[in-house]
Amino acid sequence: MTARTPSTPPPAEGISRVAEDFLKAIWSATEWGGAPITGKALAERFGTTAANVSDTIRRLTAQGLVSHEPYKPVRLTTAGERHAVAMVRKHRLIESFLVRTLGYSWEEVHDEAENLEHAVSETMIERIDALLGHPDRDPHGDPIPAADGTSPHPEHAVNLTDASPGSYEVTRISDDDPAILRLLAGHGLRPGSMITVGTRDASSSSIPLEYNDGGLASLPSDAAAALWLVGRG
Amino acid sequence: MTARTPSTPPPAEGISRVAEDFLKAIWSATEWGGAPITGKALAERFGTTAANVSDTIRRLTAQGLVSHEPYKPVRLTTAGERHAVAMVRKHRLIESFLVRTLGYSWEEVHDEAENLEHAVSETMIERIDALLGHPDRDPHGDPIPAADGTSPHPEHAVNLTDASPGSYEVTRISDDDPAILRLLAGHGLRPGSMITVGTRDASSSSIPLEYNDGGLASLPSDAAAALWLVGRG
DNA sequence: CAAAAAAGTTAAGTTAGCTTAACTTAGCGC
DNA sequence: GCGCTAAGTTAAGCTAACTTAACTTTTTTG
Ligand SMILES: [Mn+2]
Ligand SMILES: [Mn+2]
Ligand SMILES: [Mn+2]
Ligand SMILES: [Mn+2]
């Protein structure tokens, strides 16, 4: 066996499942204009401890995938961002594939994709992409990065939480929380739905909506935060 | 944290990827009438050391999945066999799915399935099974165990290495070695092919074949060992 | 601004899975 | 049966990923 000099960077054998999920989470935090993610948020996202997050961030830093100053939020390096975008591409293509070929509903694909994204080969991803005709949105309305890492930049969307009264089209629905997805699906809301945002009642945190067909509803603010809209006059 | 009594069996949280592959390998050794597998064979199969195999077998034994006396071959317990058959079912259904829906060729599916089998949910496997119409053979001719663990017992097959001269149908082709699969595919041999086995030349270890269409070929013995036949006249 | 709370780090310990090295056992060949 | 060799085990040590506990830094807040 060839002795390995301790100072030599790790052989970059491949990137672990945990590392892949971290990179994706760090990237996702800023996808819709949010601030760089904190250790606390990462710990909550993965149901683990702050100590474990520090440890994992240290390993990712050693691999040159993230940059991190103590007590500051975490950022991706160029290499880290490349890997992150590749994972997002896999995740969203897999979701699209499951809906199209296996009849998954758009509120159940996320968990399955969360596992499969770490197991599919590049070859398989490109075949899925070709079979689906190179889609540019996943079932939740999220843009699918191209194989070269470029992202189709979607029309500027506003969060329902920040939307002033008026007519909108739902362009994306965050797939983070399955319970919220089921709630929204129950309201008939999906990417492409047309809605009218009403005037907020100061005494309540929920947001009044009117649907195309005249139906009325009121969404709690956590569900509203999952909806992204573009104005439709 | 609740203290765990040392004698309590492990919580069977879930079964690791390494454990799943070991169970599958142990089961596969006896699928076509072979002897229970040895540690040496397991080490070769996974490209690891005998020491690591001993270690892994120890863990599997502690989990109640295999039974093992020192210096003896490894056997599955009832629980181990149940898990092994479930993995084989996943592997073969995934191979079938990749061929059918993504246009994989039967000589390239194995490696992809080797990874995906650890990532797909029960739900996804059952949907694949339904989509494919509950197939009972995979692309290599291997029987696909049913969801309840029962295996369709195929017509008794003989290995080409042991076949006396005569007419046969190829019923299965072992998918262990990709190089051999490519060689056989190059000869036009696949499950369902009809062949005539010629008389062996004592001076050579290769086996003479005649195809349906009159073509002649001669297979080296390692390739011949991958072919399983049933007599046809 | 100082104290309290929240966030982050460090330290120590665990397990699975791997390595190399040293040793033991089993199965012959003679 | 004796001794060689192949197979198997044991020992020691490593990394990634996790835990709890103790501590430090930053942020909030009265
Ligand atoms: Mn994931
Ligand atoms: Mn999605
Ligand atoms: Mn596998
Ligand atoms: Mn197969």
Side-chain angles (χ1 to χ4, degrees), chain B residues 14-216:
Chain B
I15 185 165
S16 76
R17 186 205 161 102
V18 168
E20 286 179 342
D21 280 335
F22 263 68
L23 294 179
K24 201 153 56 77
I26 296 165
W27 186 87
S28 298
T30 61
E31 182 179 11
W32 304 100
I37 200 164
T38 63
K40 181 79 189 318
L42 284 167
E44 270 162 17
R45 172 75 107 99
F46 295 115
T48 186
T49 58
N52 184 31
V53 168
S54 282
D55 198 20
T56 303
I57 294 303
R58 192 185 42 68
R59 276 192 307 272
L60 290 173
T61 302
Q63 290 174 81
L65 297 169
V66 311
S67 66
H68 181 233
E69 299 170 75
Y71 302 103
K72 293 280 168 59
V74 187
R75 288 160 190 284
L76 296 174
T77 61
T78 304
E81 184 169 359
R82 204 172 54 237
H83 283 285
V85 171
M87 290 311 298
V88 169
R89 171 172 164 83
K90 284 185 184 180
H91 184 96
R92 294 180 183 171
L93 278 171
I94 290 165
E95 284 187 343
S96 306
F97 178 66
L98 292 176
V99 167
R100 186 83 76 83
T101 73
L102 286 175
Y104 274 73
S105 64
W106 62 276
E107 71 266 26
E108 69 182 336
V109 282
H110 183 79
D111 289 351
E112 193 84 51
E114 199 57 60
N115 290 320
L116 288 171
E117 64 190 2
H118 310 287
V120 300
S121 68
E122 287 306 318
T123 300
M124 181 164 167
I125 277 298
E126 298 320 319
R127 290 193 194 183
I128 286 174
D129 185 42
L131 176 73
L132 300 179
H134 311 286
D136 60 1
R137 298 288 185 112
D138 84 356
H140 310 98
D142 282 315
I144 299 174
D148 64 8
T150 58
S151 252
H153 210 72
E155 214 172 343
H156 184 69
V158 59
N159 195 273
L160 173 50
T161 307
D162 307 321
S164 30
S167 275
Y168 296 90
E169 177 180 347
V170 176
T171 47
R172 69 173 288 261
I173 300 185
S174 165
D175 60 359
D176 289 345
D177 184 337
I180 286 178
L181 283 183
R182 274 190 297 276
L183 174 81
L184 295 173
H187 281 265
L189 287 165
R190 69 195 64 235
S193 296
M194 300 298 306
I195 60 172
T196 301
V197 176
T199 308
R200 241 160 289 197
D201 182 342
S203 71
S204 157
S205 65
S206 55
I207 296 179
L209 292 185
E210 183 178 332
Y211 300 136
N212 233 3
D213 62 9
L216 294 170

Side-chain angles (χ1 to χ4, degrees), chain A residues 87-106:
Chain A
M87 290 310 298
V88 169
R89 171 171 163 83
K90 285 185 184 180
H91 184 96
R92 294 180 182 171
L93 279 171
I94 289 166
E95 285 187 341
S96 306
F97 179 66
L98 292 177
V99 168
R100 186 83 75 84
T101 72
L102 286 176
Y104 274 71
S105 64
W106 63 277

